[in-house]
Amino acid sequence: MRLILLGPPGAGKGTQSKRIMDKYQIPQLSTGDMLRAAVQARTAIGLQAKAVMDAGALVSDEIVVGIVGERIDAEDAKRGFILDGFPRTVAQAEALDAMLANKKLQLDAIIELKVDEKALLSRIEKRVEETLAAGGQVRADDNAESFKIRLDAYRVQTAPVSDYYAKRGVLKQVNGMMSPEAVTAAIDGVLAA
Ligand code: AMP
């Protein structure tokens, strides 16, 4: 099973990816997580990406395509994977198409979580509260200022990715405003179809 989860920040991609990961025993390939790990480890990529990420803007296509290309080749991704947070630009979608064609791999589903933009900031605020309550570290970009830039980046650079797949007739949409359980059930329905 190879799939892409699309949707704005706070749509529930991370939560749903984890559930799909458990159900299908495939890894969640989150470019945000990979980049945060690079920042933490102070690698060359991490050092380059940190300021851009903290501000809420997008890291260069070249860097992100490079890390996804390497990650897809890892042993645990041989049986499949969920791409979470990638592709985020049409150039990344094109690079992914080329990468998969080159590896003779096909995607099984591209699912977009449709959410009401007005609900997103409060979802992010809830994530911050829950992280703090659990004694975790809050993401540097989970604040109102960076969130606005992330949402703008989504509108301008990422929304066209949905059109890219819709034009090819391969985009499935799920109402992301339902309860997490109902969203999971709807995703299951798409994957079983
Ligand atoms: P996320 O965890 O998916 O919300 O990503 C957090 C941040 O990592 C984003 O705001 C970007 O700065 C960066 N990032 C993650 N994925 C990508 C991507 N596919 N392209 C460019 N930047 C990305």
Side-chain angles (χ1 to χ4, degrees):
M1 172 79 65
R2 292 182 199 91
L3 60 123
I4 299 178
L5 269 192
L6 296 173
K13 300 187 297 296
T15 304
Q16 296 300 328
S17 292
K18 294 210 164 57
R19 294 179 177 203
I20 300 167
M21 183 168 103
D22 291 342
K23 179 158 184 190
Y24 293 92
Q25 294 294 301
I26 51 176
Q28 168 205 21
L29 310 191
S30 155
T31 42
D33 285 350
M34 293 182 228
L35 288 166
R36 279 185 287 276
V39 169
Q40 202 80 37
R42 298 176 184 275
T43 65
I45 284 178
L47 292 174
Q48 219 177 317
K50 186 178 185 317
V52 177
M53 290 174 72
D54 287 355
L58 292 188
V59 173
S60 78
D61 289 335
E62 197 190 345
I63 287 185
V64 180
V65 169
I67 58 174
V68 170
E70 270 181 35
R71 186 65 186 85
I72 280 182
D73 284 337
E75 195 53 39
D76 68 333
K78 293 271 189 278
R79 287 181 46 240
F81 49 78
I82 312 152
L83 284 170
D84 163 9
F86 178 91
R88 247 178 167 99
T89 64
V90 170
Q92 290 178 18
E94 288 168 347
L96 177 65
D97 276 349
M99 196 190 293
L100 294 175
N102 192 26
K103 298 178 197 296
K104 300 197 169 36
L105 298 175
Q106 274 178 349
L107 293 169
D108 296 291
I110 297 144
I111 301 175
E112 180 182 20
L113 298 181
K114 294 288 285 180
V115 284
D116 179 354
E117 269 193 22
K118 287 195 244 35
L120 295 176
L121 183 57
S122 56
R123 283 187 177 197
I124 296 282
E125 284 167 350
K126 192 163 165 243
R127 173 157 85 194
V128 171
E129 274 170 31
E130 286 171 355
T131 306
L132 289 173
Q137 202 185 352
V138 173
R139 280 172 51 167
D141 60 351
D142 268 352
N143 60 72
E145 205 181 319
S146 296
F147 179 74
K148 196 180 161 303
I149 299 172
R150 286 160 67 196
L151 202 52
D152 281 346
Y154 179 79
R155 286 196 200 103
V156 175
Q157 292 165 280
T158 309
V161 174
S162 298
D163 297 338
Y164 175 88
Y165 291 118
K167 280 200 194 104
R168 285 162 177 72
V170 292
L171 182 72
K172 301 275 191 278
Q173 293 181 323
V174 163
N175 175 6
M177 295 305 291
M178 303 183 292
S179 68
E181 291 69 31
V183 174
T184 305
I187 292 176
D188 281 342
V190 168
L191 297 179

